[in-house]
Amino acid sequence: MTTESPQGHPVDERLPILKLAALGMQHVLVMYAGAIAVPLIVGGALNLPKSEIAYLISADLFCCGLVTIIQSLGIWKFGIRMPVMMGVTFAAVGPMVAMANNPSLSILHIYGAVIAAGIFCILASPYMSKLMRYFPPVVTGTVITVIGVSLMGVGINWAAGGQPIIGKLVDGVFVKIPNPDYGSPLSLAIAAIVLVSILLITKYVKGFIANISVLMGMIVGFVIALSLGKISFDGLGAAEWFAVIKPFHYGWPQFDAGSIISMCLVMIVTMIESTGMFMALGDIVEKKVDDKTLARGLRVDGLGTVIGGVFNTFPYTSFSQNVGLVGVTGIRSRYVCVAAGVILAAFGLFPKMAHVAASIPQFVLGGAGIVMFGMVAATGIKILAKVDFNTNRNNLFIVAISIGVGMIPIVAPTFFDKMPGFLSTIFHSGILLASTMAVVLNVFFNGRGSDEEVANYALAAAQSSDH
């Protein structure tokens, strides 16, 4: 049962400032590790000094905040106006690292490709949104389930202390080494304590504290890690109190046709993944996501990417871990993410704040990640529960094969390694593979859907947002 706010739908509810700050910080901490990962990887591939990598992180946090505000608050034809957090997409890492390793290209060519791809995304978003007829519940439920399952790997690795293979700057060179702390009993124990704390708070505590159960669980884990000496504040003293993020810090962008094409391909992948995430969020908050709403959301993927290229960072997309957080907390107000955007922008402008947040160990995030990412998968299963599998057994094939194909990059990461390099962006995205397979199989078995059926999907979504 949805509780209507004085402003109408719970998505538009305006909460007291202190609640907004606490709930916003919860969103920030959930996505922080993912937000700073791409600048670390690309900066290392470019052999940038530590001070410049720190600048990339500050620029990234500032743009994360700015683009999140635009997406959640909405400006003109930009912004889905739902609780969405924006961050740099990992889909762009491969092409950008390839550019960084090309001696004929520089960081300016990366930013030129990012800006051009952002413009492409803005122009293409209305056409992508017209594809809504190809996303009936059997497709959306499958895609959202795969999104959740894909993310579970992230949460599990967090619980173990990060990735099994980590990047490290050695004499200014970014190298990969085994993570010596991966899977340590202490990491697993603290992650388990965070998970149990969230469950206990959810079951036994009511009111506002229950709404920030994820944040409270992470605070418990942080305090334990701090008391055991597992948190380092190295670099905090050297960090500046305030630093302005300047546009075109490294100079005017340069444009290379091949780089632009590869980055545009990344944006197509991003738009397809964002479509699934927006529809998952729409189901969680019980608000209709029609083609116009979807187009506004996808435009911000493009606008955020242009902003990223101007302010020395990279392509942006919606962060699915925060979609799971909305499902866990039940707080649907988009102004929570607006507040989180303000906090992120502040982190970018006040480097000491960013250093403190960056000190949170990944195993503290792990227990929370398992809850949140599992919630995304559960949302997909909830949608599939409404699909007719009895009179239309073809739907079973759609779900079975699509999930199977979507699992390939997850369970067999080297499965497509011998394919041409330019196809890596496509084949290494389980979400994209599952989405493509589900759409194709649905058209093959069930047709493209009549206008009446599309209208019924929209009507069902509208009705679910009213109760």
Side-chain angles (χ1 to χ4, degrees):
M1 184 70 69
T2 298
T3 302
E4 294 290 334
S5 69
Q7 291 80 25
H9 195 279
V11 163
D12 300 314
E13 183 180 4
R14 298 175 186 267
L15 301 173
I17 189 69
L18 292 179
K19 284 188 176 182
L20 281 177
L23 291 165
M25 180 60 74
Q26 184 171 236
H27 270 285
V28 168
L29 295 179
V30 162
M31 58 90 70
Y32 191 90
I36 67 174
V38 175
L40 283 171
I41 295 169
V42 177
L46 288 164
N47 296 319
L48 295 179
K50 186 176 181 180
S51 59
E52 289 302 316
I53 293 178
Y55 182 84
L56 287 182
I57 291 173
S58 293
D60 177 34
L61 293 173
F62 174 76
C63 290
C64 278
L66 181 58
V67 180
T68 294
I69 293 170
I70 295 172
Q71 183 71 279
S72 298
L73 190 61
I75 299 174
W76 190 46
K77 292 185 178 181
F78 294 86
I80 199 167
R81 295 168 175 84
M82 291 199 296
V84 175
M85 297 295 296
M86 301 291 290
V88 175
T89 174
F90 281 87
V93 169
M96 289 192 296
V97 169
M99 292 179 220
N101 292 331
N102 187 335
S104 64
L105 301 176
S106 69
I107 193 171
L108 298 179
H109 290 92
I110 292 178
Y111 291 139
V114 168
I115 292 172
I119 294 171
F120 163 79
C121 182
I122 293 173
L123 297 176
S125 56
Y127 301 98
M128 287 295 296
S129 67
K130 298 296 183 184
L131 299 178
M132 287 288 288
R133 69 168 61 246
Y134 297 104
F135 287 85
V138 67
V139 173
T140 57
T142 301
V143 172
I144 294 166
T145 301
V146 171
I147 291 173
V149 172
S150 300
L151 287 169
M152 285 302 295
V154 176
I156 291 168
N157 281 327
W158 280 355
Q163 295 294 322
I165 303 296
I166 58 174
K168 186 176 182 180
L169 280 175
V170 178
D171 297 328
V173 179
F174 190 78
V175 297
K176 292 183 177 181
I177 60 172
N179 184 348
D181 296 323
Y182 186 84
S184 72
L186 181 62
S187 298
L188 299 179
I190 295 177
I193 291 172
V194 172
L195 173 58
V196 171
S197 298
I198 294 171
L199 296 177
L200 291 175
I201 293 169
T202 300
K203 179 173 175 61
Y204 294 111
V205 181
K206 304 299 180 184
F208 176 66
I209 298 299
N211 293 333
I212 57 170
S213 59
V214 173
L215 176 60
M216 297 303 294
M218 287 193 291
I219 290 174
V220 170
F222 183 86
V223 171
I224 294 173
L226 183 63
S227 66
L228 295 175
K230 293 298 181 180
I231 293 179
S232 171
F233 294 104
D234 288 347
L236 180 61
E240 298 180 50
W241 282 102
F242 180 79
V244 176
I245 306 301
K246 300 176 182 177
F248 305 117
H249 173 73
Y250 297 100
W252 290 101
Q254 299 181 25
F255 300 93
D256 171 73
S259 301
I260 291 172
I261 291 172
S262 65
M263 203 59 69
C264 287
L265 178 61
V266 167
M267 295 313 298
I268 293 174
V269 174
T270 296
M271 284 190 283
I272 293 173
E273 292 182 344
S274 292
T275 298
M277 292 173 195
F278 291 151
M279 298 178 85
L281 182 61
D283 192 80
I284 289 171
V285 303
E286 298 182 345
K287 188 174 178 65
K288 181 178 70 171
V289 178
D290 56 20
D291 58 346
K292 292 182 180 179
T293 304
L294 181 59
R296 290 201 310 268
L298 295 177
R299 282 193 192 100
V300 178
D301 280 4
L303 178 61
T305 300
V306 173
I307 291 172
V310 171
F311 284 97
N312 323 292
T313 179
F314 310 111
Y316 283 85
T317 187
S318 55
F319 262 32
S320 46
Q321 53 259 55
N322 295 87
V323 173
L325 180 59
V326 174
V328 171
T329 65
I331 299 296
R332 311 176 195 184
S333 172
R334 58 195 172 106
Y335 294 102
V336 170
C337 288
V338 173
V342 173
I343 294 170
L344 279 169
F347 279 3
L349 295 174
F350 298 96
K352 284 189 183 294
M353 294 173 62
H355 270 72
V356 171
S359 67
I360 300 173
Q362 288 194 327
F363 55 76
V364 171
L365 298 172
I370 291 172
V371 177
M372 294 178 301
F373 303 156
M375 187 63 70
V376 176
T379 299
I381 295 170
K382 175 185 172 184
I383 295 173
L384 288 175
K386 304 173 185 176
V387 175
D388 177 16
F389 291 110
N390 294 319
T391 59
N392 186 356
R393 296 187 69 254
N394 292 331
N395 286 332
L396 287 170
F397 286 95
I398 296 171
V399 175
I401 296 172
S402 300
I403 291 179
V405 171
M407 290 292 291
I408 291 175
I410 302 170
V411 300
T414 60
F415 190 88
F416 293 113
D417 276 6
K418 293 186 178 180
M419 298 295 288
F422 68 92
L423 294 175
S424 63
T425 301
I426 297 175
F427 290 132
H428 285 89
S429 171
I431 299 170
L432 178 60
L433 290 176
S435 301
T436 303
M437 185 59 66
V439 168
V440 170
L441 289 177
N442 181 64
V443 171
F444 175 71
F445 283 119
N446 300 328
R448 61 191 294 269
S450 65
D451 291 337
E452 182 181 358
E453 288 174 322
V454 174
N456 288 337
Y457 298 149
L459 178 60
Q463 289 174 340
S464 68
S465 69
D466 293 332
H467 54 71

